[in-house]
Amino acid sequence: MSEEYDFDVAIVGAGPAGIAAALTLARAGIETVVLERGQYPGSKNVSGAALYGPVLHELVPNYWEDDKSFERYLTTKKISLLSESRSVTIDADLRNFSQPPYNGVTVIRPKFDRWLAEKAEEAGAMILPDTMVEDLVWKEKQVVGVKSGEEELKAKLIIIAEGANSLLVEKANLMKKPKPKHYALGMKETYELSSKKIEERFHLSENEGISNEILGHTKGIPGGGFYYTNKETVSFGLILNMDVLTKKKLEAPDVFEEFKNHSYISKLLKDAKMVEYSAHIIPEGGFKHMPKLYGNGVLVAGDAAGMVLNAGLYIEGINFALESGRIAGESAIEILKSNKFNKSGTKLYKKNLKKSFAYKDLKTFRRASHFLENKHMFTTVPDLLTVLMEKLLRNDGKPRKRIVMTAIGHILRKTPLWGMFKLLLGAVRSL
Ligand SMILES: Cc1cc2nc3c(=O)[nH]c(=O)nc-3n(C[C@H](O)[C@H](O)[C@H](O)COP(=O)(O)OP(=O)(O)OC[C@H]3O[C@@H](n4cnc5c(N)ncnc54)[C@H](O)[C@@H]3O)c2cc1C
């Protein structure tokens, strides 16, 4: 390495994106440093979290052999709709998901991020905790390092992986100021329950887990709730669109409290002790609002690149971060070989990323974020279906109408037809 540089590659952020990049680079013998503002990787990180096994297996082969890597494998997925005093749930029990590499696993981020970071350190990467990067170092129009307080650290290439709402992406001139409507606020609480209670309450065998996505009962704010089971805790949370939250002049903790008091939720959390609360923002602009992914001397990965998919059934960011981080690492190895650190060299990252499932999924679901802003999705649809179920199942001693006629009559009476037509059309175009 030339004396001008301290490292070949400097990575900002030790989340899944930054560590995936560091692990890939260190395994190839590249001098890599990761700067992390938290006390340790994962100390500042908030996620549900459920992540997809095959992506992790690609980065850390046979990850499941290390019991620090995950909590439970997911065999059950539920999708629930809530109205004020009712709920309807679709329950998918998927036994085929119980074999490694597992379709999905739950993780606790401080544990998971730390475990992944240890793998990167074992491979030779240096991780500098308690180091907040505040700015970039420029040499003419080229980024050549990062600044933390008075300190400067020079590197041939910088990977920005600092998560949502990245100031460094703005400073690198890769994105204009983002709008609140492209962000959601995610709140998460962790509840303690013994593994025996978790297995009894959620009908699970040992090591099996459940994830449940929940729509409705959010005061009409686009978003939704979730819970995931860990070994001895349950992660429970709510994600709300920031723009609508502000416009409705509502306080997020109040909406969360009311959501938790719904009977569907409260009985799940009965007698469970809350041990942690955290909140974080989530980029929800999707494909159309991603920043430029590369510049002179920089690559951008994970949430900093807006790589989160919210398509109703899935809220995914960790596997996109792992995948984009890994590809940023692989591209950086090639860029270092070519010695071309300006845009003509770094554009290789975008070319490589375009071939990945991450980029392709974001493109496929590029209209989903706009579709999920439709208020009927969070109000009319849950109301309609839950009330319809009650109607169909109620026995009040009177002769019943045919099921189909009851359903059609209810839908025609209760539905804003034009609004629902637009919703259906949106679903066909977006999902
Ligand atoms: C409530 C909630 C629930 C979620 N649930 C899921 C889920 O179940 N499944 C899923 O796939 N995704 C989920 N997500 C999204 C997921 O958390 C993110 O997509 C993922 O963490 C992105 O990884 P990342 O590495 O890009 O960023 P992050 O995980 O945010 O990591 C960025 C790192 O950079 C550090 N950092 C930031 N700024 C600086 C700086 N200037 N200098 C140094 N260090 C810095 C941070 O401390 C952090 O460690 C959820 C998000 C929230 C908020």
Side-chain angles (χ1 to χ4, degrees), residues 42 124 277 345 379 418:
Y277 170 84
T379 51
W418 176 239

Side-chain angles (χ1 to χ4, degrees), residues 81-333:
L81 298 172
L82 309 189
S83 62
E84 212 169 313
S85 54
R86 307 170 183 89
S87 67
V88 170
T89 294
I90 299 171
D91 183 338
D93 186 1
L94 303 161
R95 298 287 103 196
N96 291 344
F97 288 172
S98 61
Q99 294 303 319
Y102 303 120
N103 182 64
V105 293
T106 56
V107 298
I108 294 176
R109 287 293 302 276
K111 261 162 95 178
F112 173 78
D113 289 16
R114 215 169 183 175
W115 165 80
L116 201 59
E118 276 165 20
K119 298 266 168 230
E121 279 179 319
E122 281 162 22
M126 181 188 279
I127 297 183
L128 290 181
D130 284 321
T131 311
M132 171 88 182
V133 173
E134 282 129 16
D135 213 341
L136 300 167
V137 180
W138 294 83
K139 187 176 177 188
E140 292 157 16
K141 290 186 172 168
Q142 180 83 16
V143 177
V144 291
V146 290
K147 268 188 208 165
S148 175
E150 297 300 302
E151 304 277 328
E152 275 190 9
L153 188 145
K154 298 264 187 73
K156 293 176 184 166
L157 200 58
I158 311 297
I159 299 179
I160 303 176
E162 63 168 344
N165 202 15
S166 165
L167 284 178
L168 296 181
V169 170
E170 277 181 61
K171 290 190 173 190
N173 303 320
L174 301 176
M175 183 171 71
K176 294 198 185 106
K177 242 202 156 14
K179 296 189 176 132
K181 76 178 205 175
H182 299 140
Y183 287 97
L185 176 70
M187 294 165 285
K188 196 195 92 176
E189 291 178 349
T190 306
Y191 288 84
E192 238 171 34
L193 269 183
S194 68
S195 29
K196 189 164 170 272
K197 274 205 172 143
I198 288 180
E199 282 146 23
E200 277 168 11
R201 191 167 294 187
F202 298 97
H203 309 290
L204 301 167
S205 303
E206 202 185 348
N207 300 328
E208 284 182 354
I210 176 174
S211 70
N212 192 168
E213 261 76 40
I214 306 159
L215 281 189
H217 203 58
T218 51
K219 294 188 174 282
I221 301 168
F226 63 84
Y227 69 82
Y228 306 125
T229 51
N230 306 312
K231 275 182 190 143
E232 297 193 312
T233 52
V234 178
S235 303
F236 169 73
L238 183 65
I239 295 172
L240 298 171
N241 179 287
M242 289 199 11
D243 196 35
V244 183
L245 187 69
T246 317
K247 280 186 182 144
K248 283 186 175 252
K249 296 195 171 70
L250 290 168
E251 295 293 332
D254 297 342
V255 183
F256 195 21
E257 212 47 43
E258 198 167 322
F259 186 73
K260 266 190 318 190
N261 287 335
H262 192 285
S263 61
Y264 180 76
I265 312 284
S266 58
K267 66 181 177 228
L268 293 172
L269 300 176
K270 189 166 171 264
D271 301 331
K273 185 174 158 214
M274 206 243 278
V275 288
E276 192 189 66
Y277 170 84
S278 45
H280 203 271
I281 58 168
I282 306 175
E284 279 208 321
F287 187 75
K288 290 184 188 164
H289 298 281
M290 283 165 71
K292 286 193 188 134
L293 297 168
Y294 62 91
N296 291 326
V298 278
L299 311 180
V300 188
D303 274 18
M307 297 189 71
V308 174
L309 176 67
N310 183 0
L313 270 187
Y314 337 95
I315 300 170
E316 293 177 31
I318 302 174
N319 52 330
F320 284 58
L322 291 172
E323 182 77 353
S324 58
R326 182 178 64 75
I327 294 172
E330 286 169 359
S331 309
I333 296 167

Side-chain angles (χ1 to χ4, degrees), residues 397-426:
K398 293 185 187 144
R400 285 188 162 118
K401 283 192 196 144
R402 285 172 54 205
I403 292 173
V404 173
M405 297 317 287
T406 310
I408 292 175
H410 173 72
I411 290 169
L412 288 178
R413 258 195 318 279
K414 298 284 175 190
T415 312
L417 284 178
W418 176 239
M420 288 302 277
F421 173 72
K422 274 176 49 187
L423 184 74
L424 278 177
L425 194 68

